[in-house]
Amino acid sequence: MICALGSAVCFGTASVFQAIAARATAPGTGSGVDPALLLRAVKQWRYVVGLGLDGLGFLLQIVALRSIPIYAVGAALAASLAVTAVVASRMLRVRLSGVEWAAVGVVCAGLAMLGLASGDEGESTGSTTLRYVLLGVAVAVLLLGAVAGRLPGRGRAPALGLGAGLGFGVVEVAVRLIDDVSPGALVRNPAAYALLVGGGAAFLLLTSALQRGSVTTATAGMVIGETVGPAVVGVVWLGDRTRSGMAWVAVLGFVVAVAGALALARFGEAAAPAESAEAAPGVGGPGGGAR
C-alpha cells in the first residue's frame, strides 16, 4: 500500500506540472485529440519534470500491483487528485474550500479502510482469452479517442476523460497479466501489447484533455474508467480478495475513496501561474491521475 500511495503522490504532483505545460503549448489542430501535441508539450520543462514523476510513479505502481489487489491500487491512484489539490494550493496558491479539504480527508479515510481490509493479490495470472480481450479494449480506447476528437464541445470532455481512464485501467490489468518479462515471453504475450497501446492512448487522450474541455466531467470520467473496471477484473478473474470478514470494509473504503476523488474533480488540471496570481481560480481539464 505504501508503494501505491507513493505512486499517487508522484502522479498527483506531475499533474500540476503537466497541466501548466499543456496550457502553454500551441493548440495545433482543432481536433480534440492531437498526436503532435505531445511533441510540442515535451518542449516545456515543466512537462519533462512531470514525465519524470510519472516514470517513478509507474515503477511504484508496478510494485504495488504485484503486492496488493487491483481495487486497492486503483483507489489509491484515483486519490492522486487529492495530492494534486494540496500541491496546487501550495505551488499555485489555489484556495481550497472547506468542502474540498473535507474531501481530501474523505479520500484519506477511504484509503485507510482499504489498507486495513485488503488481502493479498490473487494468484491467478489470467487466461489467454482475457489477454486478447484486454488488447481489444486497448485498441477500442484508440478508436474512442478518434471519435472524441469529432464530438461537439460538451460531449468531448467526458469522452476523452473516460477513454483516458479506460486506457490507464488497461495498464493496471496488463501488469498483472505479464508473469514473464523475458523478451521471448513478452513478444508472445498480448497483454504486453495491450499495456503499450492502452498506456500510449491514455496518455495522448489525457494530454489533449488537459488542453481542451471541461474539467469536472472529464476528470470524473477518468476516475471511473480507471477504478471500477480494473477492480471488477481483479476480483472476478484474477482472484483478488479481502481479509477474512472485511469485504464490506473494502467495498466501503473503495466507494469512499473514489467519491472523495470525484469531489475533487476540478483539480484534474491546475491553472497556469499567471492566472492563479490574478484570481486564484480552480483547475481545469482531467489529469488528476496523470500517468
Side-chain angles (χ1 to χ4, degrees), residues 184-196:
L186 287 176
V187 169
R188 296 189 300 270
N189 192 341
Y193 300 101
L195 188 152
L196 294 176

Side-chain angles (χ1 to χ4, degrees), residues 39-138:
L39 297 178
R40 296 195 300 274
V42 80
K43 296 178 181 179
Q44 303 278 338
W45 70 266
R46 291 182 181 87
Y47 199 84
V48 176
V49 171
L51 287 177
L53 288 170
D54 280 337
L56 177 58
F58 182 62
L59 293 177
L60 292 172
Q61 179 185 358
I62 291 176
V63 175
L65 286 167
R66 294 289 186 178
S67 306
I68 59 177
I70 294 178
Y71 63 79
V73 178
L77 296 182
S80 64
L81 282 170
V83 176
T84 299
V86 174
V87 172
S89 72
R90 301 298 181 184
M91 290 182 59
L92 304 179
R93 298 178 182 177
V94 175
R95 294 182 179 179
L96 273 67
S97 68
V99 172
E100 288 167 339
W101 277 117
V104 172
V106 166
V107 169
C108 294
L111 292 177
M113 286 188 283
L114 273 174
L116 181 65
S118 296
D120 296 329
E121 65 166 340
E123 296 181 357
S124 174
T125 57
S127 65
T128 301
T129 300
L130 180 59
R131 288 174 167 81
Y132 278 107
V133 169
L134 191 67
L135 179 57
V137 173

Side-chain angles (χ1 to χ4, degrees), residues 83-280:
V83 176
T84 299
V86 174
V87 172
S89 72
R90 301 298 181 184
M91 290 182 59
L92 304 179
R93 298 178 182 177
V94 175
R95 294 182 179 179
L96 273 67
S97 68
V99 172
E100 288 167 339
W101 277 117
V104 172
V106 166
V107 169
C108 294
L111 292 177
M113 286 188 283
L114 273 174
L116 181 65
S118 296
D120 296 329
E121 65 166 340
E123 296 181 357
S124 174
T125 57
S127 65
T128 301
T129 300
L130 180 59
R131 288 174 167 81
Y132 278 107
V133 169
L134 191 67
L135 179 57
V137 173
V139 174
V141 171
L142 277 176
L143 298 177
L144 176 59
V147 173
R150 293 169 174 78
L151 290 176
R154 181 169 293 185
R156 181 181 298 168
L160 284 172
L162 180 61
L166 291 173
F168 292 133
V170 166
V171 172
E172 294 174 28
V173 177
V175 169
R176 285 282 298 276
L177 297 181
I178 298 175
D179 53 346
D180 187 345
V181 294
S182 64
L186 287 176
V187 169
R188 296 189 300 270
N189 192 341
Y193 300 101
L195 188 152
L196 294 176
V197 174
F203 213 89
L204 174 59
L205 267 62
L206 174 61
T207 304
S208 298
L210 282 173
Q211 193 180 56
R212 307 176 179 90
S214 165
V215 179
T216 305
T217 55
T219 305
M222 188 187 69
V223 169
I224 293 172
E226 72 176 346
T227 55
V228 178
V232 172
V233 172
V235 172
V236 176
W237 285 286
L238 298 180
D240 287 348
R241 294 292 181 266
T242 65
R243 294 184 181 180
S244 179
M246 302 195 73
W248 69 273
V249 177
V251 172
L252 180 60
F254 180 87
V255 172
V256 167
V258 173
L262 291 175
L264 296 167
R266 77 180 184 100
F267 289 95
E269 175 202 353
E275 295 172 336
S276 61
E278 293 178 4

